[in-house]
């Protein structure tokens, strides 16, 4: 079975190359080439020749781009990324292919959520090796959700980026991400998530040591009646007072209160560490 699949893959790849090359009196037949490369990739995959399969999927993607089949181009390069990630452990190509898939899904116009998902996958691959690039790719993913009016589907991504920034001790950047999440929550009228996010912003500012900014944010958020009447607002106010008074015992007690049980876990843990 494996040898038959390999022979079929090789034949398909040759046919794809011929179609892509064209002739003296004919232009490249990109749609035919894309189809052959896609089939060659599937056969290489069956034969467990993953590197050749990845290469054929990448070539199929570019051929589909030439034939204006953008969605199929995105799907093929995503398949190439999956092979690079799962079978070849090829980090560079995984990041490159997922990023390319994101661009193509977005260019197609009907798959913004898929485009953001691909960008997030690329970012995850960067987390352990290149923090700045990971954050740039995450920012790209968040921007897709924001610009395409799909914020409600990006809430968990905002939280993931917040966790990552806290883990890297980049607290003020986490404040900025939570601010963007708050804007999304306001836009989609998710009052419950908005209230929790606002509390997270105040706690993050205290963790950063900027109690003045925390007080200003509490006053700003208090203009919203639903927040002003919430338990989160009350606890936030008490936390600022305890912080300002150097009352560690009260602050630690507040950090263990029920109000923090429902906010982002990484922020709640950070609150317990504030001294």
């Amino acid at each position: 079975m494996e040898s038959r699949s390999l022979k079929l893959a090789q034949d398909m790849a040759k046919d794809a190359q011929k179609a892509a090359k064209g002739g003296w009196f004919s232009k490249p037949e990109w749609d035919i080439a894309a189809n052959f490369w896609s089939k060659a990739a599937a056969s290489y995959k069956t034969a467990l020749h993953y590197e050749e399969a990845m290469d054929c999927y990448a070539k199929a993607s570019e051929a589909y781009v030439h034939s204006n089949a953008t969605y199929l181009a995105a799907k093929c390069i995503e398949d190439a990324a999956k092979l690079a990630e799962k079978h070849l452990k090829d980090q560079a190509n995984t990041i490159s292919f997922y990023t390319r898939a994101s661009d193509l899904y977005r260019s197609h116009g009907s798959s913004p959520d898929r485009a953001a998902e691909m960008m997030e996958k690329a970012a995850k691959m960067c987390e352990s090796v290149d923090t700045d690039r990971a954050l740039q790719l995450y920012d790209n993913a968040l921007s897709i959700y924001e610009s395409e009016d799909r914020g409600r589907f990006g809430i968990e991504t905002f939280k993931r980026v917040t966790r990552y920034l806290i883990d890297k001790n980049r607290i003020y950047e986490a404040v900025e991400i939570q601010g963007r999440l708050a804007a999304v929550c306001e836009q989609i009228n998710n009052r419950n998530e908005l209230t929790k996010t606002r509390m997270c912003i105040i706690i993050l500012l205290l963790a950063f040591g900027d109690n003045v900014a925390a007080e200003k944010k509490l006053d700003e958020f208090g203009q919203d009646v639903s927040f002003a009447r919430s338990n989160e607002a009350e606890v936030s106010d008490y936390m600022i007072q305890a912080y300002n008074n150097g009352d560690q015992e009260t602050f630690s007690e507040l950090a263990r209160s029920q109000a923090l049980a429902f906010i982002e876990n990484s922020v709640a843990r950070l609150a317990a560490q504030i001294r």
Side-chain angles (χ1 to χ4, degrees):
M1 174 66 179
E2 183 178 324
S3 61
R4 289 201 305 271
S5 295
L6 180 58
K7 179 63 167 61
L8 179 61
Q10 291 169 339
D11 290 343
M12 290 286 187
K14 288 178 183 177
D15 289 338
Q17 192 64 44
K18 289 178 182 177
K21 186 177 181 180
W24 286 103
F25 304 105
S26 61
K27 295 180 180 180
E29 298 177 291
W30 290 113
D31 54 339
I32 295 174
N35 187 47
F36 276 131
W37 265 318
S38 182
K39 289 180 178 178
S43 293
Y44 273 127
K45 184 178 177 182
T46 300
L48 307 182
H49 282 243
Y50 297 120
E51 189 164 357
E52 292 88 342
M54 179 189 72
D55 184 58
C56 284
Y57 274 131
K59 289 178 177 177
S61 177
E62 289 309 304
Y64 277 127
V65 169
H66 281 294
S67 59
N68 296 315
T70 309
Y71 183 84
L72 293 175
K75 185 68 176 67
C76 281
I77 205 68
E78 180 186 351
D79 288 338
K82 289 177 180 177
L83 289 174
E85 178 183 9
K86 296 179 182 179
H87 295 289
L88 298 171
K89 310 303 179 185
D90 183 342
Q91 189 177 62
N93 270 327
T94 300
I95 295 168
S96 175
F97 291 156
Y98 275 135
T99 303
R100 177 63 171 156
S102 175
D103 292 341
L104 288 169
Y105 278 124
R106 194 173 188 189
S107 177
H108 182 254
S110 65
S111 307
D113 300 339
R114 195 73 173 152
E117 180 187 349
M118 294 297 101
M119 195 64 73
E120 185 174 356
K121 284 178 178 289
K124 288 178 184 177
M125 292 296 297
C126 286
E127 281 190 353
S128 61
V129 294
D130 191 338
T131 299
D132 288 336
R133 190 178 182 195
L135 289 172
Q136 180 58 63
L137 293 171
Y138 274 129
D139 184 70
N140 292 347
L142 296 177
S143 295
I144 292 171
Y145 284 123
E146 290 169 321
S147 64
E148 298 288 346
D149 196 24
R150 306 289 287 177
R152 61 171 52 82
F153 300 103
I155 289 175
E156 290 306 314
T157 305
F158 279 101
K159 292 181 179 181
R160 179 182 180 87
V161 178
T162 299
R163 290 193 294 271
Y164 183 58
L165 286 165
I166 290 173
D167 182 63
K168 295 299 180 181
N169 200 32
R170 296 170 70 154
I171 306 303
Y172 213 82
E173 290 171 79
V175 173
E176 189 269 335
I177 292 298
Q178 286 290 291
R180 290 167 67 180
L181 174 57
V184 167
C185 292
E186 283 193 274
Q187 183 181 31
I188 63 176
N189 198 32
N190 187 336
R191 309 303 299 180
N192 182 52
E193 194 68 49
L194 176 60
T195 297
K196 292 186 291 184
T197 300
R198 284 170 166 169
M199 185 181 205
C200 284
I201 291 171
I202 291 169
I203 291 172
L204 286 167
L205 287 168
L206 291 176
F208 188 71
D210 196 343
N211 56 315
V212 174
E215 290 177 15
K216 289 181 178 178
K217 283 296 180 183
L218 181 63
D219 290 341
E220 176 189 329
F221 299 154
Q223 302 302 310
D224 181 346
V225 175
S226 64
F227 178 77
R229 294 176 176 173
S230 70
N231 187 39
E232 286 85 353
E234 183 179 25
V235 173
S236 295
D237 188 14
Y238 288 148
M239 291 181 84
I240 291 173
Q241 291 180 42
Y243 184 95
N244 289 342
N245 294 332
D247 187 347
Q248 185 63 54
E249 182 179 351
T250 299
F251 190 94
S252 295
E253 183 179 341
L254 290 165
R256 295 191 297 269
S257 67
Q258 188 68 16
L260 276 74
F262 303 105
I263 66 172
E264 167 58 41
N265 288 337
S266 58
V267 178
R269 289 194 299 269
L270 187 63
Q273 299 170 17
I274 295 176
R275 296 292 182 269

